[in-house]
Amino acid sequence: MNTCADDAPPGAASEFWRAVRTSFPVAMSFIPFGLVLGAQARMQHLSSWQVPVMTGLNFGGGSEFAAVGLWTSPPHILLIVSVTFLINSRHLLMGAVFAPYLNKLSRFKALVCLFFMCDEAWALSLSDCKKRGFSLPYYTGVAGMLYFNWVLSTFAGALLGPVLGDVTRYGFDMAFPAVFFVLLKGMWKGLLFSGLPWVVSLAVAITAYLYLPKGWYVPCGALAGLTLAWWQARA
């Protein structure tokens, strides 16, 4: 993440630590979910070092859970790659929304920053952009805090998994949905402009989950909500 902090303006340190303080509660919520993923990966016979390599290179919680769930010996690589791409395809939409704020960066720096973009980093940074404008040190702090906490949490889960067994019995898997509800609250703009696209997105995602192959519910739900929001903005 140091690449993104190059050419940082004066006050970069304070912006960075402001981001760390802001993202700290979200980063802490990554711990139980990371433990679940790491433990499940070990149950699928991935080694303890393979888990942080996977989460570090992919950095997409939903797609990583899907990959672990589909893992066999030998693995069906094409199936895993396809499902991972489908679930991560929401990042295409998120990146398109965030890209205008990165237009002053070189292409290399922008791509590095986008690599570290997850749902939570995107939501926190986009909210801050709308209030204060884009700040590289702030984005670096948010994305870096979440990234390293996620990788370390999954690694810890991989190490502790054989000892703890199925950690979902402790309710750890509820941490991620709770975080998303908090993030949605920060994006609320009223029932019409926020609630309606969310409801449509949810309805389409549920329908796709029930009737389409695994993974399609993510891009279908995201695209439906985005299309309605775009239509509302133009109306």
Side-chain angles (χ1 to χ4, degrees):
M1 292 300 293
N2 290 337
T3 304
C4 295
D6 291 349
D7 306 324
S14 62
E15 280 289 280
F16 178 87
W17 289 112
R18 181 173 70 87
V20 171
R21 291 192 298 270
T22 301
S23 59
F24 182 80
V26 177
M28 292 302 99
S29 73
F30 277 20
I31 295 176
F33 216 56
L35 292 175
V36 171
L37 178 60
Q40 289 183 350
R42 287 303 304 275
M43 292 174 64
Q44 294 289 73
H45 307 294
L46 273 74
S47 67
S48 57
W49 67 265
Q50 288 175 325
V51 175
V53 170
M54 176 186 70
T55 56
L57 292 177
N58 184 42
F59 195 36
S63 61
E64 290 163 355
F65 272 96
V68 168
L70 294 170
W71 194 266
T72 57
S73 183
H76 300 289
I77 300 298
L78 183 59
L79 175 63
I80 293 174
V81 170
S82 300
V83 171
T84 299
F85 175 79
L86 283 175
I87 296 177
N88 282 346
S89 63
R90 71 190 187 279
H91 287 242
L92 298 174
L93 302 176
M94 293 160 52
V97 173
F98 201 60
Y101 297 101
L102 305 178
N103 56 11
K104 294 184 179 180
L105 300 179
S106 67
R107 178 174 296 182
F108 175 76
K109 289 184 179 181
L111 290 175
V112 170
C113 290
L114 288 174
F115 172 82
F116 290 94
M117 182 187 70
C118 63
D119 301 84
E120 295 78 8
W122 176 82
L124 292 173
S125 298
L126 187 63
S127 177
D128 192 72
C129 285
K130 293 179 178 179
K131 296 176 182 177
R132 304 168 179 259
F134 179 71
S135 167
L136 263 176
Y138 181 87
Y139 179 80
T140 301
V142 169
M145 180 77 169
L146 298 181
Y147 176 82
F148 289 110
N149 200 65
W150 175 245
V151 174
L152 290 175
S153 298
T154 56
F155 184 44
L159 294 176
L160 297 174
V163 179
L164 297 178
D166 183 10
V167 294
T168 58
R169 63 188 179 187
Y170 303 114
F172 284 178
D173 52 333
M174 289 302 298
F176 235 41
V179 171
F180 277 104
F181 280 119
V182 173
L183 294 176
L184 289 176
K185 181 179 182 299
M187 295 182 175
W188 181 259
K189 295 182 179 179
L191 183 61
L192 179 62
F193 288 98
S194 292
L196 187 57
W198 295 352
V199 170
V200 170
S201 179
L202 177 62
V204 172
I206 291 175
T207 304
Y209 179 81
L210 294 174
Y211 297 105
L212 294 180
K214 187 173 184 179
W216 277 102
Y217 65 94
V218 176
C220 288
L223 187 59
L226 182 66
T227 301
L228 180 57
W230 174 81
W231 179 82
Q232 286 180 319
R234 290 179 61 88

